[in-house]
Amino acid sequence: DGGITQSPKYLFRKEGQNVTLSCEQNLNHDAMYWYRQDPGQGLRLIYYSQIVNDFQKGDIAEGYSVSREKKESFPLTVTSAQKNPTAFYLCASRTTGTNTEAFFGQGTRLTVV
Amino acid sequence: GESVGLHLPTLSVQEGDNSIINCAYSNSASDYFIWYKQESGKGPQFIIDIRSNMDKRQGQRVTVLLNKTVKHLSLQIAATQPGDSAVYFCAEYTGGFKTIFGAGTRLFVKA
């Protein structure tokens, strides 16, 4: 089945540690995205990538980093520079054609302990 | 900056009634809009979309209305069911690859 997979579903991090969230898709989509969602809030764009080896900062990129070495994969690293990392993180992908919807993963809930 | 917002953060309806969820957008150049449904602890799922050259689009039990004059979207759910309880987001495509999401409306369906 085609889809977009995020792992792990739950992640706990100690303060000062970097953690990497995985996002893999087999939909052959060129564009991939990372969003952050806080309780009772909407989606805020962290980073996005249109093609392999290229990515752009979104609205809240500080404290995060990404890579796009393969079309299928777009991992997100939450660094120690991110002061308030506890949130629900969503990865999405879509084709590069106009007027196409994004497909979302099931999310990773990150908690700093 | 440009944003997409929702008028009502929470909506409570009786099972069987119709639900109307509203959304305002600010980018008059946007030409594509989507409604997503997000259940608790899950990622958003596509419900219905509409292009700016349309005023109305119907799906199964859902209808989206677009009023470009006042930059307003609405999602109508007919005969609301308990399984419709979720957070609903409107999304605005500004061209290119960025999408702007509204804050969402939480729909509660009372049995």
Side-chain angles (χ1 to χ4, degrees):
Chain A
D1 289 336
I4 182 165
T5 302
Q6 291 185 240
S7 63
K9 187 171 177 64
Y10 299 96
L11 186 58
F12 296 88
R13 189 194 95 171
K14 293 182 179 180
E15 287 191 28
Q17 287 183 335
N18 294 353
V19 288
T20 298
L21 283 59
S22 171
C23 179
E24 303 278 334
Q25 53 97 3
N26 60 4
L27 299 166
N28 200 33
H29 287 167
D30 287 310
M32 297 187 74
Y33 306 79
W34 275 105
Y35 293 92
R36 170 180 171 140
Q37 187 176 33
D38 293 287
Q41 302 294 315
L43 306 179
R44 292 188 289 169
L45 182 63
I46 304 173
Y47 269 97
Y48 65 104
S49 170
Q50 302 175 21
I51 56 172
V52 174
N53 293 322
D54 184 60
F55 47 83
Q56 288 78 39
K57 293 181 178 180
D59 302 317
I60 56 165
E62 185 176 353
Y64 300 97
S65 65
V66 293
S67 63
R68 187 85 188 275
E69 298 177 0
K70 299 186 300 181
K71 186 176 185 178
E72 301 80 15
S73 180
F74 191 42
L76 172 74
T77 296
V78 184
T79 75
S80 57
Q82 171 49 239
K83 298 306 179 187
N84 185 23
T86 295
F88 189 52
Y89 291 88
L90 285 160
C91 180
S93 70
R94 60 188 283 249
T95 65
T96 53
T98 57
N99 300 338
T100 59
E101 76 268 25
F103 290 78
F104 284 85
Q106 291 301 294
T108 293
R109 187 166 300 280
L110 173 64
T111 303
V112 173
V113 297
Chain B
E2 305 277 17
S3 66
V4 177
L6 294 176
H7 297 304
L8 297 173
T10 304
L11 178 65
S12 183
V13 299
Q14 198 69 38
E15 181 179 0
D17 288 351
N18 296 335
S19 303
I20 300 176
I21 301 171
N22 296 302
C23 174
Y25 66 95
S26 59
N27 188 344
S28 58
S30 294
D31 60 0
Y32 182 56
F33 305 88
I34 292 180
W35 280 100
Y36 289 92
K37 174 185 180 182
Q38 185 180 24
E39 297 177 339
S40 182
K42 297 183 178 180
Q45 290 184 303
F46 172 91
I47 300 174
I48 191 168
D49 60 359
I50 188 167
R51 293 173 175 75
S52 60
N53 61 352
M54 303 169 70
D55 297 322
K56 178 179 180 179
R57 188 154 190 235
Q58 288 184 293
Q60 187 176 12
R61 284 201 307 117
V62 295
T63 301
V64 55
L65 300 177
L66 175 62
N67 185 330
K68 294 181 287 294
T69 301
V70 296
K71 289 185 277 189
H72 182 269
L73 275 170
S74 68
L75 176 71
Q76 301 178 2
I77 304 174
T80 312
Q81 302 169 0
D84 295 326
S85 293
V87 176
Y88 291 82
F89 294 95
C90 66
E92 170 185 11
Y93 283 76
T94 61
F97 296 91
K98 290 186 70 174
T99 307
I100 300 173
F101 288 88
T105 292
R106 183 174 298 279
L107 177 64
F108 289 104
V109 181
K110 297 176 288 186

